Amino acid sequence: MRKKLLAANWKMYKTQEQTANFFREFIPMAAAHTRDEIVICPPFVDLQTAVNAASGSHVAVGAQNLHWEKEGAFTGEISAGMLTSIHVTHVIIGHSERRQYFNETDDTVNRKLEVALENGLTPILCVGEVLEEREAGLTEDVLRRQCVRAFNGISAKKAAKLTVAYEPVWAIGTGKTATPQMAVDAHLVIRHEAEEAFGEDFAQSLRILYGGSVKPDNASALMSEREIDGALVGGASLDPISFTKIMNY
Ligand code: PGA
């Protein structure tokens, strides 16, 4: 049985004070929750506040992005080593908003994935099709391409901590959710690509999350699928009560 992972992607929301307030409410509600792994991914400037607030609990803290170089003249960027130095343990890689608005490509996603793994971070690699691709029947092709290129040159041994999130772009922030069956079908494509790249045992233990308008009222249906190993939650993770309801699916 794969332990599910519930990840909060806060995107560009919350100041340090708002982050501290969230954790003050959330940590007591999450204290007894050991069924699933929980990770909160706030903006960079809130990471230290989050790490401090989560310390002593089993709630982990993740970043939303990183750069593939160790250090250097890369204005505005943050390295894997900087994240691990403040005890950040997870990192979202290749979110569709980064691919769409910040020119991230399958190649940069691959480099980021590699460096995250090298530094012992648990990457949450995002893949997913846009609406036009789904309507044109290209969902499988897109998922295959994104996985093949992301996994390129990475060994199964190195990839051990890999986590993937299937996030159909048309479902993100739109209130439209993939049906559990649509998510399951996509997950099977991703799991197959993981098997091709890393072998069967690896693929069977790989966690694949679903993301895209996960809310308290649809979490149970999605999470009851054996093939869905957790959720990457945007909007509904900003409020501690709403995220707790999802956690308690
Ligand atoms: P959403 O975002 O839950 O607000 O749709 C999910 C995501 O972008 O990770």
Side-chain angles (χ1 to χ4, degrees):
M1 237 340 230
R2 299 180 291 258
K3 188 169 186 171
K4 292 193 201 287
L5 171 67
L6 301 172
N9 174 14
W10 282 1
K11 311 192 179 188
M12 199 171 72
Y13 289 99
K14 293 192 193 292
T15 61
Q16 287 192 43
E17 190 188 348
Q18 291 165 332
T19 299
N21 290 342
F22 175 95
F23 277 87
R24 201 169 301 122
E25 257 193 86
F26 180 66
I27 292 289
M29 296 192 285
H33 193 96
T34 50
R35 176 187 59 181
D36 312 291
E37 247 177 82
I38 313 291
V39 56
I40 309 284
C41 305
F44 283 133
V45 292
D46 301 329
L47 286 171
Q48 183 73 69
T49 302
V51 166
N52 294 348
S55 133
S57 77
H58 52 260
V59 176
V61 176
Q64 299 173 16
N65 184 27
L66 85 177
H67 192 269
W68 57 84
E69 292 291 346
K70 203 168 148 203
E71 58 185 13
F74 301 102
T75 302
E77 295 294 323
I78 301 285
S79 71
M82 293 171 185
L83 297 176
T84 56
S85 75
I86 59 162
H87 309 293
V88 166
T89 50
H90 294 64
V91 61
I92 298 170
I93 292 179
H95 189 279
S96 63
E97 285 150 19
R98 298 221 48 93
R99 294 181 192 251
Q100 191 180 345
Y101 306 127
F102 304 101
N103 301 321
E104 291 206 12
T105 63
D106 289 329
D107 178 52
T108 59
V109 166
N110 171 249
R111 295 165 85 171
K112 290 179 178 200
L113 186 59
E114 195 160 12
V115 82
L117 290 164
E118 269 164 13
N119 282 272
L121 288 159
T122 297
I124 302 173
L125 165 71
C126 300
V127 295
E129 79 289 359
V130 300
L131 186 61
E132 299 76 56
E133 291 164 337
R134 173 159 285 269
E135 286 176 349
L138 294 172
T139 300
E140 280 194 38
D141 292 351
V142 170
L143 295 176
R144 281 211 189 92
R145 188 203 75 225
Q146 290 177 336
C147 288
V148 167
R149 299 217 188 142
F151 301 161
N152 185 35
I154 299 175
S155 67
K157 187 162 174 266
K158 198 171 182 185
K161 286 189 171 176
L162 175 68
T163 307
V164 179
Y166 167 58
E167 295 214 308
V169 181
W170 49 269
I172 295 177
T174 57
K176 288 185 199 145
T177 324
T179 62
Q181 191 56 50
M182 282 160 112
V184 167
D185 291 345
H187 285 210
L188 291 172
V189 173
I190 295 165
R191 205 172 292 290
H192 178 75
E193 286 314 313
E195 184 175 337
E196 296 280 299
F198 307 121
E200 194 186 340
D201 290 351
F202 185 99
Q204 284 315 313
S205 61
L206 174 69
R207 286 188 297 188
I208 306 177
L209 322 181
Y210 168 78
S213 296
V214 175
K215 308 281 178 218
D217 62 0
N218 60 26
S220 293
L222 289 159
M223 293 308 118
S224 62
E225 293 289 343
R226 237 188 104 256
E227 185 50 47
I228 301 181
D229 304 311
L232 181 54
V233 187
S237 74
L238 293 168
D239 171 52
I241 294 177
S242 143
F243 192 55
T244 299
K245 283 186 184 152
I246 292 173
M247 179 178 80
N248 293 333
Y249 61 84

